[in-house]
C-alpha cells in the first residue's frame, strides 16, 4: 500500500523517515517509471529536495508542521509555477517559464508540500486521453497500451503509479474525474469559484476549475482544504468559509438524517459498458447498506450537455487562445513577413490539431450569422440543464452516475474521430455547465482488470457532504487499495 | 444547415489567425460538418423564454480599492519575450512602407 498524506505525516513527526528520504525515494521511482509511463513533462528534483530540506529543518527545530508538509505532489502543467516551465502540453509554450506563481501552487508551497514536477496533459486541457499533448502520450499504469484519460492524464497516472502521493488537475468538462476513473484513483471537481483560478492557463473560463487527485478520499479532502478559499486575484472566487473537510470524515457512515441518493436514469442507457453498469449498480447497493435511501431520478436534458458544451467551451477557448500571438511570450515563427504572417504561421505551427479544431469551432460558432443558432442556443440549454439538477436536488442530496461510460480505451482508437472522443465526457460535462461539485471514486474493475469509477454529484458548496459519502463508500470497500503492478 | 465547405473553413481560419494547409482545411471541413450536425439535436429543445446562462455561479461585481500595486516586474516580462527591445516588444512591420 502506497503512502497517504496521513502516513507520511506520521512518519515525519515520529522521525521514522525524513522529508528528504521520501523525496529521494519518490524521485528514484519516477526515474525508473518515466521512460515507459511519461506522466511528467518536467521533474523538479532540485527544488523538491530544497523544499524537503526546509521541512526537515522545521521538524529538527521542533516546529509543528501541517499535514501537507513534506508530501510529494505533482502539478498539472497548465498551472503557472515561477521559474519552472509551464507548457500546457503545447509547443507554442515550449519556452515559457512563468514570471509569476498560481495561487494554488503558492498555497501548496506555503504549506511545505514538495512539488515534484509538472504533469503531461492534453494540449490546453482539450482532450480526454492525453494523446493531444504536444510532447507524446502518457500510458495508463494498468495497461500501457491504453490511455490514462484526460486531460489531466499525467496527474492521474502519476498518482496511480505512486510517482507522487497526490496531484492537482483541472476540470473543464471532466478532465479530473474521467482520468481518475480510468486510472483507478480519486478525482474531484469542486464548486466553480471555490478554488482560485489565478495562474491557471485559461481554456473555457466559465467552466474551468482546479481540483485534487489522490489515492484516498481523505487525501483529496486534505488537498482540497489546502487550495480552496477566496482570492481577490480571481474575480469569480467565492467568499466562503472553508470547512475542515478531512475532520468531518467518519470511518462509519451512520447519518442522523436519512441520506437520499438519486441514480440519474439517463446515464445508465445505451453506450454504457456492461462492466461499468454492473460495478456502479453494485456500488449503489453498498451505499444503501450503509443507510442511504436510493431512488431513481430523471434529468431529461442531461444528454444535451455534450453538444452544449462543445459549443460553449470552444467558443470561450477561441477567445482565450487569441492571446497566443507571439508578441509577449511563447514561441515565434522564424522570419515572419509581416505581423499577420507572424500570427498565422506561429499559431498554425504551435497549436496541435485538436486545439486548432476547437478554435475553428468556437470562431465559427461566434461569427456573425451563427451566434444565435449556436452560442446563444447552447447557453439557453445550459439553463435547462441547471434546472434539471435543481429539480433533482429537491428530491435527493447526492446524485450518482458512472464517471465514464467505458473503461480505459486503447491509444489511437479515437484520435481520428473527434466526436467519439468527445462522448467519453458525456457523464461529467453537465456538472461543469451547472458549476456543481463532483467526485469520482474507484468502484471496481472490468474483466481486463481496468478500473471503473463512480461519479457522485452534490449541490453547490456541499463538498463536505460529497466527501463524507465518498469516504464512507471507500471505507466499506477495498477498490482503492488495489494498485497496478509496475516494478 | 450544417455543412461547411473548404472555402468557409478557409474564411474561419483567417478570422482565427490560423494558416491552415489545404489538407487541414479539407479534413476540418469534413470533421466540423459532422460536429455541427451533432449540434443539431439542440434544436429539439424549446428554448423560447429561456434565459441564457453565462456563468456557472452567479456572482455580483467584485471591486477593489483603486490602489497602485506592483505586479510582475516589467524586466521579468521582457526577459521571456520572443524579441525584447529595451522597454519594448519588437514585432515585424505592421504598415507598408510609404511609396
Amino acid at each position: 500500500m502506497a503512502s497517504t498524506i496521513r502516513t507520511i505525516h506520521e512518519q515525519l513527526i515520529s522521525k521514522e523517515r525524513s522529508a528528504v528520504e521520501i523525496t529521494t525515494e519518490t524521485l528514484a521511482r519516477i526515474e525508473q517509471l518515466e521512460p515507459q509511463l511519461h506522466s511528467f513533462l518536467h521533474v523538479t528534483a532540485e527544488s523538491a529536495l530544497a523544499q524537503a530540506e526546509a521541512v526537515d529543518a522545521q521538524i529538527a527545530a521542533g516546529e509543528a508542521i501541517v499535514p501537507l508538509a513534506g508530501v510529494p505532489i505533482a502539478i498539472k502543467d497548465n498551472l503557472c509555477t515561477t521559474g519552472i516551465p509551464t507548457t500546457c502540453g503545447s509547443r507554442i509554450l515550449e519556452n515559457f517559464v512563468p514570471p509569476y506563481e498560481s495561487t494554488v501552487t503558492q498555497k501548496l508551497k506555503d504549506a511545505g508540500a514538495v512539488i515534484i514536477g509538472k504533469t503531461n496533459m492534453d494540449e490546453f486541457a482539450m482532450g480526454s486521453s492525453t494523446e493531444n499533448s504536444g510532447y507524446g502520450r502518457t500510458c495508463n499504469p494498468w495497461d500501457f497500451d491504453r490511455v490514462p484519460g484526460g486531460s489531466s492524464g499525467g496527474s492521474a497516472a502519476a498518482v496511480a503509479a505512486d510517482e507522487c502521493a497526490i496531484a492537482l488537475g483541472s476540470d473543464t468538462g471532466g478532465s479530473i474525474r474521467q482520468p481518475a476513473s480510468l486510472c483507478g484513483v480519486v478525482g474531484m471537481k469542486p464548486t466553480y469559484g471555490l478554488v482560485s483560478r489565478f495562474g491557471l492557463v485559461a481554456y473555457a473560463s466559465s467552466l474551468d476549475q482546479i481540483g485534487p487527485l489522490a489515492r484516498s478520499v481523505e487525501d483529496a479532502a486534505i488537498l482540497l482544504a489546502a487550495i480552496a478559499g477566496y482570492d481577490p486575484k480571481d474575480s469569480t472566487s467565492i467568499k466562503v468559509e472553508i470547512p475542515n473537510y478531512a475532520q468531518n470524515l467518519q470511518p462509519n457512515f451512520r447519518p442522523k438524517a436519512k441520506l437520499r441518493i438519486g441514480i440519474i436514469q439517463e446515464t445508465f442507457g445505451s453506450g454504457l459498458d456492461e462492466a461499468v453498469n454492473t460495478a456502479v449498480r453494485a456500488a449503489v447497493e453498498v451505499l444503501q447498506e450503509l443507510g442511504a435511501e436510493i431512488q431513481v431520478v430523471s434529468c431529461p436534458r442531461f444528454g444535451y450537455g455534450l453538444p452544449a458544451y462543445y459549443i460553449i467551451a470552444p467558443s470561450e477557448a477561441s477567445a482565450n487562445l487569441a492571446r497566443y500571438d507571439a508578441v509577449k511570450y511563447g514561441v515565434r515563427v522564424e522570419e515572419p513577413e509581416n505581423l499577420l504572417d507572424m500570427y498565422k504561421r506561429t499559431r498554425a505551427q504551435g497549436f496541435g490539431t485538436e486545439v486548432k479544431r476547437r478554435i475553428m469551432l468556437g470562431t465559427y460558432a461566434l461569427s456573425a450569422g451563427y451566434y444565435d443558432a449556436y452560442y446563444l442556443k447552447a447557453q439557453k440549454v445550459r439553463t435547462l440543464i441547471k434546472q434539471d439538477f435543481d429539480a433533482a436536488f429537491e428530491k435527493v442530496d447526492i446524485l450518482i452516475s458512472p464517471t465514464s461510460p467505458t473503461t480505459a480505451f486503447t491509444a489511437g482508437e479515437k484520435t481520428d474521430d473527434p466526436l467519439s472522443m468527445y462522448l467519453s465526457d458525456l457523464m461529467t460535462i453537465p456538472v461543469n455547465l451547472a458549476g456543481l461539485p463532483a467526485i469520482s471514486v474507484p468502484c471496481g474493475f472490468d474483466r481486463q482488470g481496468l478500473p471503473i469509477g463512480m461519479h457522485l454529484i452534490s449541490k453547490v458548496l456541499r463538498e463536505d457532504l460529497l466527501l463524507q459519502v465518498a469516504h464512507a463508500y471507500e471505507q466499506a470497500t477495498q477498490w482503492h487499495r488495489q494498485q497496478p503492478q509496475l516494478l | 444547415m450544417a455543412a461547411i465547405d473548404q472555402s468557409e473553413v478557409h474564411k474561419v481560419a483567417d478570422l482565427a489567425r490560423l494558416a491552415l494547409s489545404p489538407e487541414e482545411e479539407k479534413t476540418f471541413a469534413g470533421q466540423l460538418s459532422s460536429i455541427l450536425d451533432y449540434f443539431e439535436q439542440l434544436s429539439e429543445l424549446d428554448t423560447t423564454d429561456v434565459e441564457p446562462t453565462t456563468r456557472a455561479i452567479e456572482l455580483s461585481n467584485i471591486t477593489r480599492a483603486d490602489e497602485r500595486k506592483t505586479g510582475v516586474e516589467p524586466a521579468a516580462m521582457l526577459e521571456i519575450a520572443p524579441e525584447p527591445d529595451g522597454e519594448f516588444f519588437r514585432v515585424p512591420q505592421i504598415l507598408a512602407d510609404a511609396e
Side-chain angles (χ1 to χ4, degrees):
Chain A
M1 181 72 190
S3 297
T4 61
I5 296 174
R6 187 198 290 268
T7 56
I8 290 172
H9 188 63
E10 281 163 5
Q11 286 166 346
L12 288 174
I13 51 177
S14 67
K15 297 187 177 149
E16 190 188 327
R17 285 210 292 171
S18 71
V20 167
E21 278 168 2
I22 292 168
T23 305
T24 309
E25 284 165 26
T26 305
L27 289 168
R29 186 168 171 91
I30 289 172
E31 205 175 302
Q32 276 180 297
L33 289 174
E34 273 307 281
Q36 283 178 287
L37 262 186
H38 193 43
S39 313
F40 286 90
L41 293 177
H42 322 278
V43 176
T44 52
E46 208 176 302
S47 57
L49 285 166
Q51 175 76 298
E53 277 168 23
V55 171
D56 284 339
Q58 261 187 300
I59 297 166
E63 289 171 39
I65 54 163
V66 300
L68 277 182
V71 174
I73 180 166
I75 308 292
K76 189 176 183 180
D77 205 33
N78 58 353
L79 286 161
C80 286
T81 40
T82 315
I84 302 170
T86 300
T87 69
C88 270
S90 182
R91 288 286 174 188
I92 211 163
L93 289 177
E94 197 166 9
N95 58 359
F96 180 58
V97 181
Y100 69 103
E101 190 79 18
S102 74
T103 295
V104 286
T105 50
Q106 188 60 54
K107 284 185 168 194
L108 291 172
K109 284 181 176 177
D110 293 346
V114 174
I115 294 176
I116 206 96
K118 305 291 292 288
T119 54
N120 198 13
M121 56 184 283
D122 286 302
E123 185 178 5
F124 287 106
M126 298 179 193
S128 313
S129 69
T130 313
E131 290 167 292
N132 295 336
S133 167
Y135 304 93
R137 74 178 183 98
T138 294
C139 295
N140 189 310
W142 295 89
D143 180 346
F144 287 179
D145 293 333
R146 290 174 189 269
V147 303
S151 65
S152 311
S155 286
V159 170
D162 195 17
E163 293 182 303
C164 56
I166 46 175
L168 284 187
S170 69
D171 190 314
T172 304
S175 281
I176 291 173
R177 292 159 288 155
Q178 186 257 17
S181 174
L182 269 49
C183 289
V185 300
V186 175
M188 184 178 194
K189 182 206 100 71
T191 301
Y192 183 81
L194 185 74
V195 178
S196 167
R197 291 182 295 115
F198 179 77
L200 169 70
V201 178
Y203 158 25
S205 308
S206 80
L207 304 162
D208 298 339
Q209 189 60 196
I210 300 163
L213 291 113
R215 287 188 293 267
S216 73
V217 174
E218 186 184 53
D219 282 2
I222 295 170
L223 180 51
L224 178 64
I227 59 171
Y230 176 69
D231 180 13
K233 289 176 180 168
D234 176 356
S235 63
T236 58
S237 180
I238 303 176
K239 254 186 191 151
V240 67
E241 192 82 19
I242 304 303
N244 187 334
Y245 301 115
Q247 214 162 51
N248 291 336
L249 303 177
Q250 310 277 336
N252 293 304
F253 181 52
R254 292 282 178 268
K256 282 189 193 119
K258 196 89 164 163
L259 182 81
R260 300 164 305 165
I261 289 181
I263 312 300
I264 306 175
Q265 185 185 320
E266 287 77 10
T267 63
F268 287 86
S270 62
L272 186 64
D273 269 6
E274 194 40 48
V276 175
N277 183 23
T278 310
V280 178
R281 286 183 190 278
V284 170
E285 274 173 36
V286 172
L287 288 166
Q288 192 165 21
E289 282 161 25
L290 288 166
E293 178 192 300
I294 312 292
Q295 50 179 291
V296 176
V297 299
S298 173
C299 293
R301 276 84 56 104
F302 196 91
Y304 294 98
L306 193 73
Y309 172 89
Y310 277 100
I311 294 171
I312 292 168
S315 295
E316 292 183 13
S318 72
N320 272 327
L321 272 64
R323 71 184 52 144
Y324 302 102
D325 60 3
V327 174
K328 298 191 287 297
Y329 52 85
V331 169
R332 180 185 291 189
V333 83
E334 301 261 330
E335 292 177 21
E337 279 170 35
N338 52 46
L339 192 70
L340 199 59
D341 179 60
M342 178 184 88
Y343 293 156
K344 289 169 82 168
R345 283 203 294 124
T346 299
R347 289 162 64 78
Q349 287 178 27
F351 291 140
T353 305
E354 182 60 26
V355 171
K356 287 186 218 175
R357 190 153 43 225
R358 293 201 196 181
I359 290 174
M360 291 289 290
L361 206 50
T363 306
Y364 180 81
L366 292 177
S367 62
Y370 298 109
Y371 181 88
D372 285 4
Y374 292 111
Y375 190 64
L376 189 64
K377 180 79 184 182
Q379 285 186 313
K380 288 181 173 184
V381 172
R382 189 172 180 180
T383 304
L384 297 177
I385 288 162
K386 280 182 90 164
Q387 287 172 357
D388 276 2
F389 277 120
D390 288 345
F393 282 124
E394 298 262 308
K395 294 181 205 138
V396 298
D397 309 299
I398 296 283
L399 287 167
I400 287 182
S401 78
T403 307
S404 165
T406 68
T407 53
F409 45 91
T410 308
E413 194 182 316
K414 301 188 180 189
T415 38
D416 292 332
D417 184 0
L419 258 180
S420 80
M421 185 75 90
Y422 297 171
L423 281 166
S424 56
D425 294 328
L426 188 69
M427 315 287 192
T428 47
I429 275 173
V431 168
N432 297 75
L433 292 172
L436 303 171
I439 191 167
S440 178
V441 287
C443 74
F445 292 86
D446 71 4
R447 263 192 228 163
Q448 284 111 26
L450 300 168
I452 297 167
M454 169 166 64
H455 189 215
L456 299 101
I457 312 163
S458 78
K459 284 183 212 174
V460 160
L461 295 173
R462 287 312 307 272
E463 281 80 2
D464 57 332
L465 180 68
L466 199 55
L467 289 160
Q468 281 169 25
V469 177
H471 178 74
Y473 171 76
E474 177 190 86
Q475 295 304 303
T477 57
Q478 294 295 320
W479 307 116
H480 68 293
R481 295 183 189 279
Q482 302 209 26
Q483 285 199 286
Q485 298 301 311
L486 289 169
L487 291 175
Chain B
M1 76 182 187
I4 167 166
D5 62 19
Q6 198 178 332
S7 76
E8 189 144 24
V9 167
H10 187 81
K11 213 174 80 189
V12 175
D14 209 44
L15 290 173
R17 301 287 187 258
L18 288 169
L20 300 182
S21 68
E23 293 76 39
E24 277 180 305
E25 285 179 0
K26 224 175 131 186
T27 314
F28 280 167
Q31 289 175 341
L32 295 179
S33 291
S34 34
I35 294 168
L36 293 172
D37 275 339
Y38 179 73
F39 292 164
E40 282 301 299
Q41 61 179 288
L42 291 180
S43 61
E44 293 161 13
L45 294 176
D46 182 4
T47 50
T48 329
D49 303 326
V50 176
E51 287 295 315
T53 295
T54 52
R55 54 188 61 197
I57 306 292
E58 279 307 322
L59 289 171
S60 52
N61 279 343
I62 308 220
T63 57
R64 61 168 173 78
D66 187 16
E67 286 160 2
R68 197 177 139 173
K69 277 185 199 162
T70 308
V72 177
E73 290 296 333
M77 284 306 298
L78 286 158
E79 206 176 300
I80 59 167
E83 207 180 329
D85 183 359
E87 293 182 292
F88 300 97
F89 301 108
R90 183 171 280 282
V91 293
Q93 191 167 358
I94 299 171
L95 301 172
D97 290 321
E99 289 295 316

